[in-house]
Amino acid sequence: MRWGILQYVAVFGAVMGLGVAFPSVKTGGLEAAQTATFAPDKTTPQYSGKARIIDGDTLALGAVKVRLHGIDAPELAQTCMDAQGKIWGCGQWSMAALQSLAQDTVQCAQTDVDRYGRIVAVCRAAGVNLNHAMVAHGAAFAYAKYSTDYITAENQARKSSLGLWQGGAQKPAAYRAEKRAQAQQDHAAVQEPAPKGCTIKGNISKSGRLYHLPGSRWYEKTQINTKNGEHWFCSEEQALRAGWRAAKG
């Protein structure tokens, strides 16, 4: 089913007014989103199907996770400030916005693969370029670090105070950086001093049980929390006997 402009405006308008968490927000830019083009060649990997929306810039087509190229939406837990200075859940709102735009069959043309193994793509539904539409509506930012494709759409949304631009909104990359820094601080706060003469760090990570020698690549950044099963070792032999293996580098 292909939706007309008025139908999309009605659905998107409903998303924008979901009560306290989703205050009434000016929207626009749909016409431009319908004309925004991306013409993949015959060798470009393409995917299509019913989309499961993960957040404002990520969806899944079956088992394939797709990160929308050139945009960055607020994280799900992220909040923003509206025109009246009230806090609202812009991360959840952004996800709902993408859901409203991607109700029809979604077609994605791959542009890259990110460091998490997700397909990076330009996606369309019912003739609408989803990447462009999210930025044009003010539901996501142009991710200039990776692409300048949607800078113009972002500038127009900002001038019209649409969506995220109605008040104060932190860039998602800055929000993620703050969360990582806070996590590191929290982890450092539980760092326990090394027993005298036992300076080898036995750390548990996604790579397994690794020990780090003083002066090695990751030694200074590695924090030890014995409550989580990590250990200080007095010798490599002790670490090996306990089942740890040497970290590379």
Side-chain angles (χ1 to χ4, degrees):
M1 176 178 68
R2 299 179 68 83
W3 286 23
I5 292 176
L6 292 179
Q7 288 171 296
Y8 261 115
V9 169
V11 172
F12 206 82
V15 171
M16 300 306 175
L18 295 179
V20 177
F22 303 101
S24 180
V25 181
K26 283 202 303 179
T27 63
L30 184 60
E31 294 85 351
Q34 287 185 310
T35 59
T37 60
F38 173 70
D41 59 35
K42 294 181 180 179
T43 63
T44 302
Q46 299 191 45
Y47 308 84
S48 65
K50 180 67 175 178
R52 176 173 59 86
I53 307 305
I54 297 173
D55 56 31
D57 54 36
T58 312
L59 54 85
L61 298 175
V64 179
K65 284 190 177 181
V66 179
R67 177 68 159 81
L68 296 183
H69 162 78
I71 77 171
D72 200 15
E75 298 298 314
L76 289 179
Q78 195 169 340
T79 58
C80 299
M81 186 178 296
D82 68 13
Q84 288 72 46
K86 296 180 179 179
I87 301 299
W88 62 290
C90 56
Q92 292 287 335
W93 170 81
S94 178
M95 180 178 71
L98 183 56
Q99 286 175 325
S100 75
L101 290 168
Q103 295 185 50
D104 210 336
T105 297
V106 173
Q107 298 175 318
C108 297
Q110 181 177 331
T111 62
D112 202 353
V113 177
D114 71 10
R115 59 178 176 170
Y116 302 109
R118 298 175 298 187
I119 300 301
V120 179
V122 174
C123 299
R124 302 179 72 87
V128 174
N129 181 320
L130 301 182
N131 308 49
H132 187 280
M134 287 295 288
V135 177
H137 283 307
F141 298 94
Y143 210 172
K145 178 180 178 180
Y146 296 103
S147 173
T148 59
D149 290 354
Y150 308 112
I151 295 295
T152 298
E154 182 181 272
N155 289 338
Q156 292 173 343
R158 182 191 296 112
K159 289 178 181 178
S160 300
S161 299
L162 300 180
L164 300 169
W165 299 106
Q166 65 170 320
Q170 184 180 33
K171 289 291 183 70
Y175 175 85
R176 292 191 294 268
E178 284 188 3
K179 289 298 181 182
R180 286 194 297 270
Q182 184 60 54
Q184 291 175 352
Q185 290 179 8
D186 292 344
H187 192 54
V190 298
Q191 171 70 74
E192 300 170 15
K196 186 175 181 180
C198 301
T199 57
I200 298 175
K201 295 180 177 180
N203 175 244
I204 300 174
S205 68
K206 292 180 180 179
S207 299
R209 296 170 179 261
L210 305 178
Y211 67 82
H212 301 264
L213 298 172
S216 62
R217 181 180 180 183
W218 303 110
Y219 185 84
E220 294 300 328
K221 293 183 178 181
T222 300
Q223 304 294 326
I224 299 302
N225 183 355
T226 57
K227 293 181 181 179
N228 291 337
E230 296 177 326
H231 290 275
W232 290 100
F233 294 109
C234 304
S235 67
E236 283 193 79
E237 182 181 0
Q238 182 187 18
L240 290 168
R241 284 202 310 266
W244 264 254
R245 56 189 174 86
K248 294 182 179 179

